[in-house]
Amino acid sequence: MKVCIIGNNLTSLALAKALINKEIFVDIFCKNKKVNVDKTRTIGVSKSNIDYFNKNISNINKILWPIKKIKIFSENSGYEELIRFEDQERDLFSIVKNDKITNQLCLELKKNEFFNFKEDIGYKSFDKNNYDLVINCDSKHEITKRFFHKKFEKEYGSIAFTTVINHKKMKFNNTAFQVFTNKGPIAFLPISSEKTSIVYSIRTKNFNTEINIGSLIKKYNLSYEIKNIDQISKFKLSSLNLRYYYKNNILAFGDLLHKLHPLAGQGFNMSIRDISRLLEIISDKVKLGLPLDESVCVEFQNITKSRNFIFSEGIDFIYESFNSKNRFKKSFIDKSVKLIGKNKLINKYFKKIADIGLNL
């Protein structure tokens, strides 16, 4: 059995590693074998997804930084703590730097006899019949433009700024916190005792606008004695849900299926859950001696499409609830969130959804 993956990014690498662990031959087609990784970017991975990743893809325990608490504040309410999530028995989630997890996967793939990197030759020269399945993870590829251009898409009119702050060493730097500022949400995500990742989503439609991010980070910093701030990266924010997941034996995957606002840190978590469901379908086919063909794509869409859409819309609803410019509406939202946070059952339910997603 042989699978082709198009695109060279974190999701494609993780999927490739999961497949070769099942002794399925995988070719990744890409223009550049070296993955260009933004070193300011980090990923939050839930506990259940860490367990799955370690068991079925690659053991990443050594490069994770555990988060034991999450605190949510609002500038509109004078930086009052609105809600807190914590678990006395285990970590809520962990943070990992994009470059570390990407480099680990690349090294492991290159050593495996079931895997090859191949040069992208374009759709016209590509023979999809050489593969049982073709999985497209490249949003800019010709296949995407041909078959996967119909989608529900939303522009947030915001830009995300990412960086890492270097600060005085903290004995326990395991609390992530997010402040809903009047410009947009800013998240402080610890990655070591002396470093914390920043993701700040600012409402502005002008990508080239001059914003002093450093001063804003210092303004909304509630915990750290900052020494310096690393290089700052930025990208436009949008969300999308693909209308149709496949064309024949070609399956769209990763960010092509769903793209979220980063405020909840759920983008890669959704992709890991998708990998889990796809691998389950493939494993069942292999056990029954059935071919890997279009039926895999059909089954995958039937299982994942509705829950992915509902989950994505839920994240969008949370963002829009806090995004209001109306001061009175913000005060109402803040009070409502605070009441929800005090309810142990609702608090526990939100933690469960963040960990395992939706089980429909």
Side-chain angles (χ1 to χ4, degrees):
M1 293 182 180
K2 200 168 186 179
V3 172
C4 163
I5 298 177
I6 298 171
N8 192 10
N9 52 50
L10 180 54
T11 298
S12 63
L13 296 173
L15 176 58
K17 186 62 169 55
L19 288 167
I20 66 172
N21 287 347
K22 296 284 186 182
E23 297 189 345
I24 294 172
F25 288 94
V26 176
D27 290 340
I28 281 187
F29 280 81
C30 53
K31 293 181 180 179
N32 190 346
K33 292 182 180 181
K34 186 176 180 181
V35 186
N36 293 319
V37 184
D38 186 342
K39 293 185 178 181
T40 69
R41 300 284 293 275
T42 54
I43 304 167
V45 188
S46 71
K47 183 64 174 66
S48 63
N49 278 335
I50 291 169
D51 293 341
Y52 179 84
F53 208 97
N54 286 339
K55 183 178 179 181
N56 298 282
I57 302 176
S58 175
N59 193 311
I60 55 174
N61 279 336
K62 290 184 178 180
I63 57 175
L64 295 174
W65 187 260
I67 302 298
K68 300 184 180 299
K69 294 180 184 179
I70 304 172
K71 296 180 180 181
I72 308 295
F73 301 88
S74 171
E75 182 179 12
N76 188 58
S77 298
Y79 304 107
E80 179 184 6
E81 183 180 312
L82 300 181
I83 191 169
R84 177 187 300 195
F85 298 102
E86 58 184 316
D87 194 320
Q88 299 298 328
E89 297 179 0
R90 63 177 191 169
D91 302 329
L92 291 178
F93 68 103
S94 293
I95 300 291
V96 60
K97 292 194 71 178
N98 280 37
D99 59 332
K100 286 187 177 181
I101 190 171
T102 298
N103 290 340
Q104 179 170 316
L105 288 170
C106 283
L107 287 173
E108 292 176 355
L109 286 169
K110 289 175 182 178
K111 294 176 182 177
N112 197 291
E113 62 182 341
F114 287 91
F115 177 79
N116 275 306
F117 272 120
K118 291 195 173 183
E119 184 180 356
D120 189 354
I121 54 178
Y123 177 72
K124 290 182 180 179
S125 303
F126 174 74
D127 188 358
K128 65 183 179 65
N129 295 317
N130 287 336
Y131 298 93
D132 299 284
L133 281 175
V134 177
I135 302 174
N136 180 25
C137 299
D138 187 350
S139 61
K140 297 181 180 179
H141 198 273
E142 186 181 352
I143 285 178
T144 305
K145 296 173 183 177
R146 280 175 175 263
F147 305 128
F148 304 117
H149 58 277
K150 293 183 179 180
K151 53 198 172 186
F152 301 101
E153 191 167 16
K154 177 179 180 178
E155 296 290 338
Y156 281 111
S158 297
I159 298 172
F161 295 85
T162 61
T163 188
V164 173
I165 59 172
N166 301 283
H167 50 77
K168 186 177 179 180
K169 187 173 183 178
M170 297 181 68
K171 188 176 181 180
F172 301 108
N173 191 26
N174 301 107
T175 298
F177 67 90
Q178 186 156 242
V179 181
F180 283 91
T181 77
N182 294 328
K183 295 179 181 292
I186 180 170
F188 291 75
L189 307 167
I191 54 176
S192 77
S193 60
E194 299 177 286
K195 292 178 180 288
T196 295
S197 169
I198 306 293
V199 182
Y200 194 2
S201 306
I202 295 180
R203 289 188 296 272
T204 176
K205 294 181 180 180
N206 184 2
F207 188 73
N208 297 315
T209 186
E210 293 294 329
I211 298 175
N212 191 334
I213 297 299
S215 65
L216 290 173
I217 290 171
K218 292 174 182 177
K219 176 182 177 181
Y220 298 116
N221 164 40
L222 303 178
S223 300
Y224 304 107
E225 189 175 318
I226 299 174
K227 294 180 179 178
N228 56 68
I229 300 173
D230 288 351
Q231 181 179 346
I232 296 169
S233 298
K234 62 180 179 178
F235 55 94
K236 289 184 178 180
L237 288 176
S238 62
S239 67
L240 69 82
N241 282 280
L242 199 64
R243 288 176 180 264
Y244 306 106
Y245 278 23
Y246 68 94
K247 175 69 175 180
N248 300 324
N249 72 329
I250 305 175
L251 177 67
F253 209 78
D255 285 350
L256 291 183
L257 299 181
H258 40 69
K259 194 174 181 182
L260 309 178
H261 194 285
L263 76 95
Q266 284 292 324
F268 190 56
N269 282 295
M270 287 184 72
S271 292
I272 295 175
R273 294 180 195 120
D274 284 346
I275 290 173
S276 172
R277 289 159 189 152
L278 180 61
L279 263 290
E280 188 176 343
I281 294 168
I282 289 174
S283 295
D284 288 344
K285 297 279 186 184
V286 172
K287 286 177 184 177
L288 295 171
L290 298 174
L292 302 185
D293 53 18
E294 183 179 344
S295 64
V296 173
C297 305
V298 174
E299 194 171 339
F300 177 77
Q301 176 174 283
N302 290 341
I303 292 172
T304 62
K305 186 178 177 182
S306 59
R307 71 180 77 187
N308 282 343
F309 181 78
I310 294 170
F311 192 86
S312 300
E313 289 299 296
I315 299 298
D316 181 71
F317 175 77
I318 293 171
Y319 169 75
E320 291 297 348
S321 295
F322 282 98
N323 193 41
S324 173
K325 295 180 181 180
N326 186 299
R327 189 178 183 88
F328 296 103
K329 185 177 179 181
K330 278 188 174 183
S331 296
F332 174 76
I333 293 293
D334 289 351
K335 290 177 182 177
S336 300
V337 169
K338 195 172 181 180
L339 286 172
I340 290 171
K342 290 180 178 180
N343 187 302
K344 292 183 179 180
L345 287 176
I346 297 177
N347 192 294
K348 185 177 181 180
Y349 180 69
F350 276 120
K351 286 190 291 186
K352 184 177 180 180
I353 291 177
D355 184 29
I356 66 174
L358 292 174
N359 287 317
L360 301 178

